[in-house]
Amino acid sequence: MFLLLPFDSLIVNLLGISLTVLFTLLLVFIIVPAIFGVSFGIRKLYMKTLLKIFAWATLRMERGAKEKNHQLYKPYTNGIIAKDPTSLEEEIKEIRRSGSSKALDKTPEFELSDIFYFCRKGMETIMDDEVTKRFSAEELESWNLLSRTNYNFQYISLRLTILWGLGVLIRYCFLLPLRIALAFTGISLLVVGFTMCANISISTQTPQLSCCCRFKEFLSKHVHLMCYRICVRALTAIITYHNRKNRPRNGGICVANHTSPIDVIILASDGYYAMVGQVHGGLMGVIQRAMVKACPHIWFERSEVKDRHLVAKRLTEHVQDKSKLPILIFPEGTCINNTSVMMFKKGSFEIGATVYPVAIKYDPQFGDAFWNSSKYGMVTYLLRMMTSWAIVCSVWYLPAMTREKDEDAVQFANRVKSAIARQGGLVDLLWDGGLKREKVKDTFKEEQQKLYSKMIVGNHEDRSRS
């Protein structure tokens, strides 16, 4: 046996006491409040303190940049082009009026000046593209002591540099280890808790089985809430929920705008949902298998994901059972940078279920929640999240919506999308989020050609009949 020297024994004792104190603090101030869904207000006080520090740092940075005649913020093209909501026919009429005395109704044939309309539209799209800029993080108007949010950051003053360095130490040496420990705790409890819930009905084949099933459902729901609330605290997430009376109910579908993978954690920490997704391997696979044992989640094999009829059938069977949890779906199919809502895929709006819209709006001052999957992998993204100051967001539960008689699935999806965009203060776009990785479809180009052709040929036919 090894004998410890007095100095070594003192170090071991101090280390043991430190770990005990740390675990006790985690248990008292984070894990236990997460179990009961209460808060001591520490995160809100932390947020208010950060806001004061950010305000001082921004003023100091602006003053220093002005003295040195440096550009502080990266130029942003949003809003530099004034676009009037006019039709193709009206704009070409205006071009013809300004260029010649001939009007469109008098001259239905092609004119060379018509080319200027398409040239101008092309230049506007290049200078102020409303699609691709939705797939990159927005530049903040104020600095939050994160160099990743201001690409033109440079030395301003010694005090500001010291404050930034102190922030790096706090985020990487204190917050990051704490958040990793909380995330590990939450995921471990999730796997263990759901595995225990799954074994309740198997080990208790008795006449009191129905009572055991109710207990299993009660236990799985509370394990679900407890674990997701711990994971929320692992991100120092400060969430404000509005209109909780409109929360999704069993037998329905919850649809929300999609910014980040943590959208799931944000919503699941305030309600119970059945998840839909593809079967994964590794750690994610272990979590999925544990979850599906305790709750009726819907996981698809890789070969089944592209089978629309199979997916629709599984979703329909789930929502027809009013005892099952509401399905959580993000119809955009990809992450958008939380400035807009893009086209909703129609699949989840075809099955005739009640839809519960939810709007999620993040505050980028404390940390950018947007996941640019084409630039960062999941591990890198989670590291950026855990080294941010906090994740602050608001969640609005909107009234339930159903498909009207004279409405198809696409129109219903657009109506739900508009309601989410309006409530969250987001831009409502008709473009497909799939443009993040794909080229523009030829049908979009052909649509403009057909409009112009119809305008010319249609006017010519009208004159022939008259």
Side-chain angles (χ1 to χ4, degrees):
M1 295 183 62
F2 295 97
L3 296 176
L4 294 176
L5 296 175
F7 180 73
D8 296 333
S9 178
L10 177 62
I11 293 177
V12 171
N13 289 335
L14 289 175
L15 184 61
I17 293 172
S18 300
L19 291 175
T20 303
V21 171
L22 178 62
F23 180 76
T24 303
L25 291 174
L26 287 177
L27 188 67
V28 173
F29 290 101
I30 297 177
I31 297 177
V32 172
I35 295 174
F36 295 101
V38 298
S39 175
F40 294 121
I42 298 175
R43 285 175 295 170
K44 289 188 176 181
L45 179 63
Y46 168 71
M47 182 179 71
K48 291 178 180 179
T49 304
L50 284 176
L51 283 174
K52 293 180 179 179
I53 295 174
F54 295 163
W56 177 85
T58 301
L59 288 174
R60 186 67 189 87
M61 192 172 176
E62 289 175 348
R63 190 189 312 153
K66 187 176 180 181
E67 292 172 356
K68 297 183 179 182
N69 198 23
H70 287 160
Q71 184 182 18
L72 187 58
Y73 301 111
K74 186 172 67 172
Y76 189 55
T77 60
N78 188 27
I80 65 171
I81 298 176
K83 298 179 181 179
D84 296 324
T86 54
S87 65
L88 180 148
E89 186 174 355
E90 291 173 347
E91 293 203 31
I92 290 183
K93 279 183 180 180
E94 184 63 32
I95 291 173
R96 290 193 180 186
R97 287 194 199 100
S98 59
S100 67
S101 59
K102 297 179 180 180
L104 186 60
D105 51 357
K106 295 179 182 178
T107 312
E109 291 82 7
F110 166 77
E111 277 200 6
L112 189 62
S113 61
D114 296 348
I115 296 174
F116 291 112
Y117 166 79
F118 298 101
C119 290
R120 192 186 71 184
K121 284 294 183 182
M123 292 300 294
E124 285 181 356
T125 302
I126 293 171
M127 294 298 295
D128 191 13
D129 181 9
E130 65 179 5
V131 177
T132 55
K133 67 185 180 184
R134 309 298 174 182
F135 304 132
S136 59
E138 57 182 318
E139 180 82 356
L140 296 181
E141 295 183 359
S142 60
W143 192 37
N144 58 3
L145 299 180
L146 298 175
S147 58
R148 68 187 74 155
T149 59
N150 193 295
Y151 300 98
N152 292 322
F153 172 75
Q154 46 198 310
Y155 177 80
I156 299 295
S157 69
L158 179 61
R159 283 189 298 174
L160 198 59
T161 303
I162 292 175
L163 183 62
W164 174 80
L166 184 61
V168 171
L169 288 175
I170 292 173
R171 288 186 291 110
Y172 282 88
C173 299
F174 176 71
L175 292 179
L176 180 59
L178 175 64
R179 289 168 176 172
I180 291 176
L182 285 174
F184 178 79
T185 302
I187 294 173
S188 300
L189 289 175
L190 184 75
V191 174
V192 173
F194 278 152
T195 302
M196 292 176 59
C197 292
N199 292 327
I200 289 177
S201 60
I202 297 175
S203 60
T204 54
Q205 300 295 334
T206 63
Q208 291 79 21
L209 185 59
S210 60
C211 180
C212 291
C213 288
R214 288 195 297 271
F215 175 71
K216 173 186 174 181
E217 181 181 359
F218 170 83
L219 186 61
S220 64
K221 284 184 175 181
H222 282 75
V223 168
H224 171 283
L225 275 183
M226 176 188 70
C227 296
Y228 280 113
R229 284 169 177 168
I230 292 175
C231 291
V232 159
R233 283 162 170 78
L235 297 170
T236 317
I238 304 167
I239 314 166
T240 305
Y241 297 99
H242 305 271
N243 304 324
R244 282 182 164 173
K245 61 181 181 295
N246 295 327
R247 280 187 293 187
R249 299 179 182 178
N250 289 359
I253 296 179
C254 173
V255 299
N257 57 302
H258 198 25
T259 303
S260 160
I262 66 174
D263 293 339
V264 176
I265 301 175
I266 297 295
L267 294 176
S269 64
D270 190 52
Y272 315 106
Y273 298 95
M275 310 297 176
V276 179
Q278 182 179 308
V279 174
H280 293 275
L283 177 61
M284 184 61 70
V286 173
I287 297 173
Q288 285 182 323
R289 288 191 292 272
M291 291 174 65
V292 79
K293 289 177 183 178
C295 298
H297 300 284
I298 304 174
W299 307 127
F300 294 96
E301 296 292 342
R302 185 182 297 272
S303 59
E304 299 174 335
V305 173
K306 294 184 178 180
D307 189 341
R308 292 183 66 252
H309 297 290
L310 178 61
V311 173
K313 181 182 176 183
R314 294 277 300 275
L315 294 179
T316 302
E317 291 174 352
H318 185 99
V319 298
Q320 286 176 348
D321 188 347
K322 300 304 179 183
S323 64
K324 290 186 176 180
L325 299 176
I327 300 174
L328 177 58
I329 295 179
F330 301 100
E332 288 169 297
T334 189
C335 295
I336 313 298
N337 69 355
N338 209 227
T339 61
S340 63
V341 184
M342 302 191 80
M343 187 183 79
F344 278 7
K345 304 294 190 297
K346 66 178 182 178
S348 55
F349 299 91
E350 291 178 323
I351 60 179
T354 301
V355 172
Y356 296 89
V358 176
I360 306 174
K361 179 63 178 175
Y362 290 91
D363 186 346
Q365 286 187 92
F366 304 90
D368 185 15
F370 169 59
W371 181 33
N372 188 348
S373 56
S374 59
K375 188 176 180 181
Y376 303 109
M378 178 59 77
V379 175
T380 305
Y381 169 75
L382 291 177
L383 179 64
R384 288 168 64 88
M385 288 296 94
M386 288 190 172
T387 54
S388 296
W389 291 111
I391 299 298
V392 179
C393 70
S394 296
V395 176
W396 290 272
Y397 297 107
L398 279 65
M401 301 175 71
T402 54
R403 184 171 163 182
E404 297 176 354
K405 292 182 180 180
D406 58 343
E407 197 174 41
D408 60 24
V410 175
Q411 292 171 332
F412 183 32
N414 287 335
R415 183 160 61 92
V416 173
K417 177 169 69 74
S418 297
I420 291 175
R422 188 165 52 251
Q423 180 63 73
L426 306 169
V427 180
D428 186 2
L429 298 176
L430 295 175
W431 292 98
D432 186 358
L435 293 172
K436 184 177 185 178
R437 297 180 180 86
E438 301 173 0
K439 293 182 178 180
V440 178
K441 296 179 181 178
D442 291 335
T443 53
F444 288 109
K445 304 174 187 176
E446 293 169 0
E447 185 179 350
Q448 293 297 316
Q449 296 169 356
K450 288 177 181 178
L451 285 173
Y452 181 70
S453 177
K454 184 179 179 181
M455 181 185 69
I456 297 295
V457 177
N459 286 335
H460 185 69
E461 290 177 352
D462 292 340
R463 287 191 62 194
S464 299
R465 291 194 191 99
S466 61

